[in-house]
Amino acid sequence: MNDEQFHRYARNMILDEVGEEGQEKLLASSALIIGMGGLGSPVALYLAAAGVGRLGLVDDDVVDLTNLQRQIAHTTERLGQPKVASAATALAALNPGITVETHPTRLTPENAAALVGAYDIVVDGSDNFDTRYLLNDICLEQGKTLVSGALLRFDGQLTTLRPGRHLDDGRRAPCYRCIFPTPPDPDTVPRCAQAGIFGAVAGVIGTLQAVEVLKELLGLGESMAGRLLLYEGKEASFNTIKLGWNPACPACGEGK
Ligand code: ZN
């Protein structure tokens, strides 16, 4: 680590749980972030700030004026730019010492395995169930950890998935299909555009995702694997419920 890095990461390294060794670990780590929107923006900014050495950004969309109410990696000046390019500009300004790789594409069954395979950990900041199930299945295949977040109106939720692997207490870890075996009817699930989203709620959940990614990379504290965090913005309440492996799961159940 050079002098600049010692200063940049000093407040990380002064933490006994991180130290110089932990910072070196972060600098040698990589994370793939799916979606450069309300969740992906704070995730990418905080991971870049913390010195995660290589970040992959996946999004096929361009910056639109309606995004700026919550997607804080983008700016008015960058309207119309690909979101991954706009976010890369923000991250380079924040921390030029890390590598940012832009993937201006949608995650598809054709490209998902190669993208996930190229990074240590995956963050789901997407807004649709197709992507969530696809990421779950690829992470199950590859034994990758997936930090998942979701938003609706004033509320959000977060969990860490270790599909096909084990929790810290040795029990089988649930996968996304253990928790939600079948996708809901698309007509019953409103997206941001129809339902609205209280912008700062995206910051709450995205920032929590960044904390959980850093914890997973450092092997620090208690993982959110096997637990689902529910945040209700209007009530200002956080609740955590336990999640268990489902032996009948279509993806990771008994006999799979
Ligand atoms: Zn499962």
Side-chain angles (χ1 to χ4, degrees), residues 9 27 117 133 151 165 168 188 200 208:
Y9 305 120
L27 287 165
Y133 284 106
L151 304 169
R165 288 150 61 215
D168 292 341
T188 66
L208 286 168

Side-chain angles (χ1 to χ4, degrees), residues 19-248:
E20 197 179 327
E21 196 185 327
Q23 189 61 50
E24 297 276 11
K25 209 186 265 183
L26 292 180
L27 287 165
S29 298
S30 60
L32 182 69
I33 307 168
I34 311 299
M36 213 28 63
L39 294 171
S41 290
V43 170
L45 288 165
Y46 272 113
L47 296 187
V52 174
R54 190 165 59 90
L55 297 178
L57 315 180
V58 179
D59 201 308
D60 68 340
D61 211 356
V62 297
V63 181
D64 179 83
L65 190 56
T66 61
N67 301 151
L68 298 184
Q69 165 257 22
R70 65 197 179 283
Q71 302 185 11
I72 58 168
H74 311 303
T75 64
T76 306
E77 202 175 46
R78 297 199 289 270
L79 287 174
Q81 284 189 17
K83 285 188 181 178
V84 291
S86 166
T89 302
L91 301 183
L94 176 60
N95 187 352
I98 62 157
T99 302
V100 177
E101 296 165 347
T102 56
H103 305 284
T105 174
R106 226 185 142 66
L107 193 81
T108 66
E110 289 70 40
N111 65 20
L115 283 168
V116 168
Y119 297 86
D120 297 329
I121 191 166
V122 184
V123 189
D124 186 2
S126 73
D127 62 354
N128 68 86
F129 282 89
D130 286 349
T131 302
R132 287 187 199 140
Y133 284 106
L134 175 59
L135 275 178
N136 179 73
D137 297 347
I138 300 292
C139 287
L140 172 62
E141 255 172 50
Q142 299 193 4
K144 288 275 162 79
T145 298
L146 172 62
V147 177
S148 173
L151 304 169
L152 188 64
R153 293 166 50 79
F154 293 88
D155 305 331
Q157 51 180 256
L158 166 104
T159 187
T160 295
L161 298 164
R162 294 177 183 168
R165 288 150 61 215
H166 291 84
L167 305 176
D168 292 341
D169 65 9
R171 287 179 302 137
R172 283 282 301 265
C175 84
Y176 194 76
R177 290 184 194 271
C178 289
I179 310 164
F180 305 105
T182 51
D185 179 345
D187 298 333
T188 66
V189 185
R191 291 170 69 171
C192 281
Q194 298 95 40
I197 170 77
F198 205 51
V201 170
V204 172
I205 300 297
T207 303
L208 286 168
Q209 283 182 286
V211 173
E212 295 308 315
V213 169
L214 295 169
K215 282 168 57 187
E216 293 289 333
L217 291 173
L218 292 166
L220 184 160
E222 306 224 345
S223 174
M224 278 300 297
R227 296 187 291 158
L228 178 69
L229 179 81
L230 303 166
Y231 170 63
E232 294 184 309
K234 280 193 284 189
E235 292 74 18
S237 73
F238 286 94
N239 287 293
T240 304
I241 58 174
K242 287 208 166 184
L243 301 172
W245 172 61
N246 175 6

